[in-house]
Amino acid sequence: MAKRYGGEHSPTGQRDGETPREMVSHQKMEVAPFKGRKPMRHGAKLNILFILPLLTIFSVLFNSGVTEMATDLAGGALLLLAAWLTRDGVRAEDAFNERKVARKPAIPRKIFGAVGTGMGVAFLILGGSDFSAGSIVAANVVGFLAAGLHLFSFGLDPLKNKGMEGMDTFTSDRVARKIDEAEAILARQKEAIARVRDAQLEARVDRFQDVARGLFRQVEEDPRDLNAARRYLGVYLQGALDATVQFANLYSRKTDYAIRSDYIAFLDDLEQNFAARKETLLIDDRTNFDVEIEVLQDRLNRETQYLERQG
């Protein structure tokens, strides 16, 4: 009779020194590492933006004049800076779109990237010309076209705040600032777990962060929930970051599956707490809504009775 392979290196196998509890926790981690992840928008176009400045190196090698060489290097540097600004602008826009309450980016990176692209192209054209009046005009025209194509390809930065209508400035800034701080903690947690170089652990952290962001969205929808969720957005997230940093330091020096199992169990408990807090906030919001409806109905009934007596 055929027997299923279950050795040490099998996905369902037990490693040396690993208890059944640790084996179960390890098996729970056998998830698709890319599940739930979204590819970065404009990824191919952004890569091209970083490749183009490298081509200026070849043009510099064939320039005999110092002025032409400096102009080409300046053009390449501007294109590289524009590519970096554009990539950060796309990331900032993605984060802006994912959130229900968000402030517009302080720096319009994509717009600055478009300006840098236009200037870089103009400098490169000038570097291969005789710097005559006609060449300068042609370089400016092509530079404007390059900037326009950049804006057409990547669009403008968000220029207005989102989800802050009807809220006072203090409340909206308070919510946005707290979510920004929480997102910064999650980003540092991602950096810490990436040092372990374990795709399954990175996927597990991603899953926890998805649940945490669900709580973020709940607070953004109803800023009154901020006080109830403050500990989760601050103390608990900081605790998750500290635990991840300590685990990464230990696991990077020595592969210990007991420590790995304890860290996974810690994430399981923390994720359940975040999910439970979100559900509690939803129930509270539903209760508050029902109370407001009952109060409104009672008021309408009293007014109707008063009008009937007056009639």
Side-chain angles (χ1 to χ4, degrees):
M1 182 176 180
K3 182 179 180 181
R4 182 182 179 87
Y5 175 72
E8 175 185 352
H9 301 288
S10 171
T12 58
Q14 182 173 352
R15 298 176 173 88
D16 293 338
E18 187 177 26
T19 65
R21 174 180 175 272
E22 296 165 0
M23 182 178 66
V24 171
S25 297
H26 175 74
Q27 291 176 9
K28 289 171 64 177
M29 282 298 300
E30 303 295 338
V31 296
F34 297 102
K35 183 178 180 180
R37 297 188 185 182
K38 296 179 180 179
M40 186 176 181
R41 292 186 307 116
H42 308 300
K45 290 186 287 187
L46 288 172
N47 291 334
I48 293 175
L49 289 183
F50 280 97
I51 294 174
L52 290 178
L54 300 179
L55 301 179
T56 60
I57 298 176
F58 298 99
S59 63
V60 170
L61 295 176
F62 293 101
N63 281 331
S64 57
V66 177
T67 303
E68 292 82 357
M69 183 182 299
T71 305
D72 283 343
L73 288 176
L78 283 170
L79 288 177
L80 189 60
L81 176 62
W84 177 72
L85 287 171
T86 303
R87 183 186 62 186
D88 280 3
V90 170
R91 289 175 176 173
E93 184 182 17
D94 288 343
F96 180 89
N97 292 333
E98 288 179 0
R99 292 172 56 176
K100 296 183 178 180
V101 177
R103 289 176 290 188
K104 64 182 180 181
I107 301 175
R109 298 176 182 86
K110 291 199 295 181
I111 294 178
F112 285 173
V115 174
T117 299
M119 293 177 62
V121 170
F123 270 81
L124 290 178
I125 293 177
L126 284 176
S129 65
D130 54 0
F131 290 90
S132 63
S135 299
I136 294 176
V137 172
N140 287 329
V141 171
V142 176
F144 276 112
L145 289 175
L149 289 173
H150 184 284
L151 291 176
F152 177 79
S153 298
F154 297 100
L156 296 172
D157 301 271
L159 301 177
K160 294 182 179 180
N161 296 332
K162 182 175 69 171
M164 297 184 179
E165 300 80 4
M167 284 194 293
D168 60 274
T169 305
F170 175 77
T171 301
S172 61
D173 288 345
R174 186 165 170 247
V175 171
R177 183 171 59 253
K178 197 63 181 178
I179 298 301
D180 287 340
E181 293 172 357
E183 287 287 355
I185 294 176
L186 292 185
R188 291 163 58 191
Q189 184 188 28
K190 284 276 292 181
E191 294 174 358
I193 199 63
R195 293 192 285 112
V196 178
R197 300 183 182 277
D198 188 318
Q200 293 177 348
L201 286 176
E202 291 183 40
R204 183 63 189 84
V205 170
D206 284 342
R207 198 177 81 187
F208 160 71
Q209 293 192 354
D210 287 341
V211 174
R213 288 191 174 97
L215 182 59
F216 298 173
R217 302 294 86 83
Q218 173 63 24
V219 173
E220 289 173 339
E221 288 182 355
D222 190 348
R224 294 174 299 179
D225 292 335
L226 178 59
N227 290 332
R230 178 181 294 276
R231 185 178 296 272
Y232 288 81
L233 302 184
V235 177
Y236 291 165
L237 279 185
Q238 186 63 44
L241 170 62
D242 295 341
T244 302
V245 171
Q246 293 178 10
F247 167 75
N249 293 337
L250 292 172
Y251 201 73
S252 298
R253 293 196 298 264
K254 179 183 178 182
T255 302
D256 189 334
Y257 292 109
I259 296 177
R260 186 180 193 272
S261 176
D262 290 340
Y263 176 67
I264 295 171
F266 165 75
L267 288 180
D268 290 340
D269 293 340
L270 197 61
E271 179 181 309
Q272 292 175 4
N273 287 330
F274 270 77
R277 170 52 61 177
K278 179 184 176 183
E279 291 300 320
T280 301
L281 294 178
L282 287 173
I283 293 174
D284 291 343
D285 290 346
R286 176 65 185 180
T287 302
N288 293 335
F289 175 74
D290 292 339
V291 170
E292 291 177 0
I293 292 297
E294 290 178 1
V295 171
L296 181 59
Q297 288 176 343
D298 290 341
R299 183 177 302 172
L300 290 174
N301 291 333
R302 288 196 301 269
E303 291 181 357
T304 301
Q305 293 173 1
Y306 173 78
L307 291 175
E308 289 178 351
R309 289 196 299 267
Q310 293 295 323

